[in-house]
Amino acid sequence: MRILSGIQPTGDKHLGNYSGGFRQYAATQERGEAFFCVVDLHSITAAYEPEALRRSTLNLAAMLFATGLDPARSTVFVQSHVKAHAEAAWLLSAVASFGQLGRMTQFKDKGDGKDFVPAGLFTYPVLMAGDILLYQADIVPIGDDQRQHLELARDIAQSFNSRFGETFKVPEGVYPTVGARIMDLQEPTRKMSTTSGTTQGTVRLVDEPDAVRKKFKTAVTDSGREIRRGDDKPGITNLIDILSIATGATPEQIEARYADGAGYGQFKADVGEAVVALLTPIRERYLELRADEGELKRLLRAGAEQAAATVEPTIRAVYDRMGFVAP
Ligand code: TYM
């Protein structure tokens, strides 16, 4: 079984990324041959600083290992180190249509109202499809916000296969059953995000314990008093999901535990403490790994070599079937 996922080195990673991304990566690496890539090529599709990109690429690699990826088991690499990713994006743009890309809600959300919308923001899902298809991935662990992009990757694989002959495996998305979409603590009707969420409502994985506690203490709750999930209770539902992720208890167990009338204040404090307990060892490992940049770069070079060798037969087949003359 082949597993592939990618994560962007933009800004600091947060609890939503932990839920839909990191924790699923560490769990799925047990199931087969796993590849995880820091998708730096994706991160130039929004305004950014070159030096910040360099720094956050290494930060994110350290975070991937700190949250449980084992370099002996998983191939962890930087997307731009494996040239086939950029090539695949161009080649697959022949089978992805303008109409398909225009329907992507993330493009509409991120591009809306901006003076300058980079062309890359529009073609971004084709780059992502290439990331996945090059590895002949069976499964792609992601959060709910990437569902539409994954569906597009499947459509692109099918179009390519029917036009040029069977070349790509059609991948399946793997979504968490709880926490596929973690919401902003201040505005629980929108997803947690460092680029579009509120600062106080976004729990960064590198936040100091007291900052984490404060963010939960000030989290927005709902009317009523009961601690239960429901469409009418987006704030409490989100906090129950977060507590479930942090402790491993199911949402039902959590609701039962708080059925005796504990107040929102106590509940929020408990969620904060559970998240501090989850993040403290991660943060410590992260700081240790980040301090040894030489070792980090060595691991990434080895990962890129392994990834490049893995995709070689597929990218070669793509050129060949599309009618390019071999060099
Ligand atoms: P990115 O970098 O925005 O997010 C990384 C992962 O975190 C998940 N995620 C969330 N999950 C739950 N709740 C949230 N609030 C939340 N916010 C983010 C995302 O779903 C994702 O799984 N386009 C992708 C990166 C990418 C990729 C790929 C993923 C590029 N190539 C190939 C899979 C396969 C992105 O921007 O993710």
Side-chain angles (χ1 to χ4, degrees), residues 151-164:
E151 289 306 318
L152 179 68
R154 289 166 55 87
D155 290 345
I156 290 176
Q158 277 155 349
S159 307
F160 189 99
N161 289 349
S162 68
R163 179 157 163 209
F164 296 110

Side-chain angles (χ1 to χ4, degrees), residues 4-10 13 22 25 35-43 53-65 69 75-82 85 131 296 300:
L4 176 126
S5 198
I7 180 163
Q8 286 203 59
T10 23
K13 296 286 115 175
F22 298 105
Y25 309 155
F35 294 85
F36 298 104
C37 102
V38 177
V39 293
D40 53 350
L41 296 171
H42 279 90
S43 292
L53 177 62
R54 235 187 299 279
R55 225 179 14 255
S56 48
T57 298
L58 292 170
N59 289 351
L60 179 53
M63 190 53 86
L64 285 166
F65 294 118
L69 289 185
T75 302
V76 178
F77 64 100
V78 176
Q79 187 187 33
S80 66
H81 293 176
V82 181
H85 289 253
D131 298 339
L296 208 49
L300 293 172

Side-chain angles (χ1 to χ4, degrees), residues 227 240 243-244 247-262 267 270-271 274:
I227 294 167
I240 290 177
L243 188 55
S244 167
T247 61
T250 64
E252 291 76 14
Q253 286 167 336
I254 293 167
E255 286 171 339
R257 197 183 308 152
Y258 287 95
D260 63 356
F267 175 60
D270 291 352
V271 183

Side-chain angles (χ1 to χ4, degrees), residues 89-102:
W90 178 251
L91 297 169
L92 294 177
S93 71
V95 294
S97 77
F98 185 82
Q100 277 175 315
L101 294 176

Side-chain angles (χ1 to χ4, degrees), residues 6-325:
I7 180 163
Q8 286 203 59
T10 23
D12 285 323
K13 296 286 115 175
H14 53 80
L15 210 50
N17 296 127
Y18 178 78
S19 182
F22 298 105
R23 94 187 148 117
Q24 291 215 93
Y25 309 155
T28 49
Q29 75 179 337
E30 313 289 336
R31 295 174 57 188
E33 200 187 348
F35 294 85
F36 298 104
C37 102
V38 177
V39 293
D40 53 350
L41 296 171
H42 279 90
S43 292
I44 62 170
T45 59
Y48 79 102
E49 291 298 330
E51 266 322 307
L53 177 62
R54 235 187 299 279
R55 225 179 14 255
S56 48
T57 298
L58 292 170
N59 289 351
L60 179 53
M63 190 53 86
L64 285 166
F65 294 118
T67 48
L69 289 185
D70 173 2
R73 192 168 287 182
S74 291
T75 302
V76 178
F77 64 100
V78 176
Q79 187 187 33
S80 66
H81 293 176
V82 181
K83 303 284 182 277
H85 289 253
E87 296 174 48
W90 178 251
L91 297 169
L92 294 177
S93 71
V95 294
S97 77
F98 185 82
Q100 277 175 315
L101 294 176
R103 284 193 290 278
M104 295 293 116
T105 54
Q106 195 156 314
F107 167 70
K108 289 192 252 184
D109 293 347
K110 290 194 175 173
D112 217 25
K114 298 262 164 63
D115 287 339
F116 177 76
V117 178
L121 188 64
F122 186 67
T123 54
Y124 165 121
V126 185
L127 178 61
M128 174 162 163
D131 298 339
I132 298 167
L133 303 180
L134 277 175
Y135 291 80
Q136 306 287 355
D138 297 282
I139 60 167
V140 182
I142 41 178
D144 194 54
D145 63 336
Q146 296 301 319
R147 196 180 284 271
Q148 200 185 21
H149 292 158
L150 195 269
E151 289 306 318
L152 179 68
R154 289 166 55 87
D155 290 345
I156 290 176
Q158 277 155 349
S159 307
F160 189 99
N161 289 349
S162 68
R163 179 157 163 209
F164 296 110
E166 207 54 40
T167 305
F168 295 121
K169 182 160 274 171
V170 181
E172 300 287 338
V174 170
Y175 305 90
T177 44
V178 175
R181 183 177 288 260
I182 294 296
M183 310 307 270
D184 190 289
L185 300 186
Q186 289 297 316
E187 290 183 28
T189 50
R190 62 162 145 161
K191 72 171 180 181
M192 187 176 284
S193 160
T194 31
T195 45
S196 65
T198 68
T199 310
Q200 188 64 12
T202 304
V203 180
R204 301 174 318 142
L205 302 182
V206 293
D207 275 344
E208 304 267 354
D210 278 343
V212 173
R213 289 189 184 99
K214 191 153 175 224
K215 286 178 181 176
F216 281 98
K217 204 167 162 195
T218 56
V220 166
T221 47
D222 315 297
S223 57
R225 292 210 55 202
E226 318 98 293
I227 294 167
R228 60 156 173 85
R229 288 164 301 160
D231 290 344
D232 57 331
K233 294 178 93 76
I236 294 295
T237 302
N238 191 40
L239 292 171
I240 290 177
D241 283 356
I242 291 172
L243 188 55
S244 167
I245 291 154
T247 61
T250 64
E252 291 76 14
Q253 286 167 336
I254 293 167
E255 286 171 339
R257 197 183 308 152
Y258 287 95
D260 63 356
Y264 283 167
Q266 183 60 49
F267 175 60
K268 289 199 286 185
D270 291 352
V271 183
E273 280 318 314
V275 172
V276 167
L278 169 75
L279 297 185
T280 299
I282 292 176
R283 188 162 166 275
E284 280 166 7
R285 271 198 302 277
Y286 165 77
L287 292 172
E288 234 168 74
L289 288 158
R290 189 62 186 91
D292 192 350
E293 202 161 297
E295 173 62 5
L296 208 49
K297 285 185 170 165
R298 193 191 63 73
L299 288 172
L300 293 172
R301 265 198 304 277
E305 233 171 76
Q306 174 75 31
T310 303
V311 300
E312 182 57 25
T314 299
I315 191 78
R316 208 180 285 196
V318 170
Y319 276 114
D320 181 54
R321 299 202 179 136
M322 290 182 84
F324 293 100
V325 172

